[in-house]
Amino acid sequence: MSEAKIIDGNLFSERLRQTVAERVRELRVDHHVTPGLAVVLVGEDPASQVYVRNKRKRAVEVGMNSFEHTLAADTTEHELLTLIAGLNDDPAVHGILVQLPLPTHIDEQKVIAAIRPEKDVDGFHPWNVGMLASGGVGMVPCTPFGCLLLLKDQLGSLTGLKAIVVGRSNIVGKPMAHLLLRESCTVTIAHSRTRDLPAEIGQADIVIAAVGRPEMIKGEWLKPGATVIDVGINRVPAAEPGKTRLVGDVDFASAKAVAGAITPVPGGVGPMTIACLLRNTVVAAARLNRVALAGGEDWA
Ligand code: GUN
């Protein structure tokens, strides 16, 4: 059998960011609204600093306002909640993102619940979680939404397909399963206690890998022709001493010989997350200002 098609997340996300930029222009010119994204970072985690810098850069590129709040690692929960209350009330801010993980002395759930649901562009607030689960209209978490866009671009209708989500996190696994269910897939959620994971994966037309374990899912486990979306970003030692490289949760080399299509790491799901964050911010700005965008909300 021929090798899998490599799904190009860089290209797809670039196109999506271009569409976002067009919608930003429409909001600015026709409605005098400049979408604003506030990103809050507490502490000095180097990976989080890189993510936040990228989010800011991409937001400015599409013509949005970016408001960055960098707080010391010893910021109290009360101080953070006070900042969020101010952002909730600020009409120039349409999206609020608090970068996770937070320092351990701060209650993450309490912070997420303090964000006004309409401005919760991460889709982590219990109201948005409930909306996704009950078929309502809320904010959808960025990474699973990006995975869904790639899947639909690849497969068209997902109706009736068997999908397995490996991983049950609140950020990826659980919302991903709900999104696939909304697309009329038959959905399995697998996790660290799942019995005979290879047998479960072998049934699936769609595999979403979001476990955070480097190269855990092997090509031999896959159903031939399956579409594989790899959410994992794991840093492992490279062949060269002292160097590291990024790998996904899927063993790419063996998987691409069996799969029909597969996302690479890097350059697959990663760039989709920020593009979807920008998309959510535009949607939030439109909803908060009661503006109907050209093409509605289905343009992404
Ligand atoms: N940390 C890792 N992924 C995410 C994400 O999607 N949103 C936020 N806020 N923090 C994260």
Side-chain angles (χ1 to χ4, degrees):
M1 205 164 102
S2 60
E3 280 210 340
K5 181 193 163 193
I6 310 297
I7 298 172
D8 188 343
N10 283 324
L11 183 67
F12 194 98
S13 66
E14 198 180 306
R15 285 204 305 256
L16 177 54
R17 282 186 277 107
Q18 275 169 15
T19 311
V20 170
E22 283 165 27
R23 295 294 177 263
V24 170
R25 210 172 309 122
E26 180 186 337
L27 277 169
R28 287 171 72 152
V29 174
D30 299 348
H31 305 284
H32 310 289
V33 173
T34 303
L37 173 65
V39 179
V40 181
L41 174 63
V42 185
E44 277 120 43
D45 178 60
S48 291
Q49 284 174 333
V50 173
Y51 290 138
V52 167
R53 207 179 313 132
N54 284 336
K55 283 168 186 168
R56 178 189 174 78
K57 182 175 151 229
R58 296 302 192 191
V60 171
E61 258 174 27
V62 296
M64 291 183 187
N65 286 328
S66 164
F67 306 99
E68 207 175 307
H69 296 269
T70 308
L71 308 179
D74 63 355
T75 298
T76 65
E77 186 178 282
H78 180 72
E79 284 168 328
L80 180 56
L81 293 173
T82 305
L83 171 66
I84 290 171
L87 297 173
N88 282 341
D89 291 340
D90 185 343
V93 172
H94 307 101
I96 302 171
L97 181 143
V98 178
Q99 187 66 32
L100 304 177
L102 288 167
T104 50
H105 67 277
I106 297 177
D107 182 343
E108 235 163 58
Q109 291 300 336
K110 204 163 155 184
V111 170
I112 289 168
I115 298 171
R116 194 175 152 188
E118 295 94 330
K119 295 191 179 188
D120 168 39
V121 282
D122 262 326
F124 295 164
H125 188 286
W127 190 84
N128 284 315
V129 175
M131 280 310 216
L132 178 60
S134 63
V137 177
M139 281 288 158
V140 175
C142 305
T143 301
F145 190 54
C147 294
L148 183 68
L149 293 180
L150 293 178
L151 279 173
K152 287 172 89 168
D153 185 55
Q154 181 62 34
L155 297 169
S157 168
L158 308 184
T159 298
L161 295 179
K162 283 195 175 179
I164 186 163
V165 180
V166 190
R168 55 176 156 180
S169 71
N170 290 333
I171 293 183
V172 183
K174 285 184 221 161
M176 186 77 242
H178 279 299
L179 280 173
L180 291 166
L181 201 52
R182 209 166 77 173
E183 298 296 326
S184 302
C185 289
T186 302
V187 183
T188 300
I189 306 178
H191 44 76
S192 55
R193 305 291 174 91
T194 295
R195 281 190 217 151
D196 201 354
L197 182 61
E200 295 289 345
I201 288 179
Q203 304 269 315
D205 306 299
I206 295 170
V207 178
I208 310 281
V211 259
R213 291 177 60 180
E215 299 175 321
M216 187 189 88
I217 295 169
K218 309 297 178 198
E220 307 84 84
W221 302 359
L222 298 171
K223 176 175 171 180
T227 302
V228 179
I229 305 288
D230 192 349
V231 184
I233 302 178
N234 308 288
R235 199 165 277 287
V236 297
E240 211 177 317
K243 293 264 169 85
T244 60
R245 66 191 176 98
L246 290 180
V247 298
D249 292 347
V250 177
D251 178 22
F252 188 79
S254 63
K256 80 173 192 300
V258 183
I262 184 168
T263 58
V265 177
V269 173
M272 292 299 293
T273 299
I274 292 186
C276 290
L277 171 68
L278 301 176
R279 180 261 179 205
N280 278 356
T281 305
V282 167
V283 167
R287 287 181 188 166
L288 286 161
N289 287 281
R290 309 202 184 292
V291 167
L293 288 167
E297 292 179 2
D298 285 339
W299 44 274

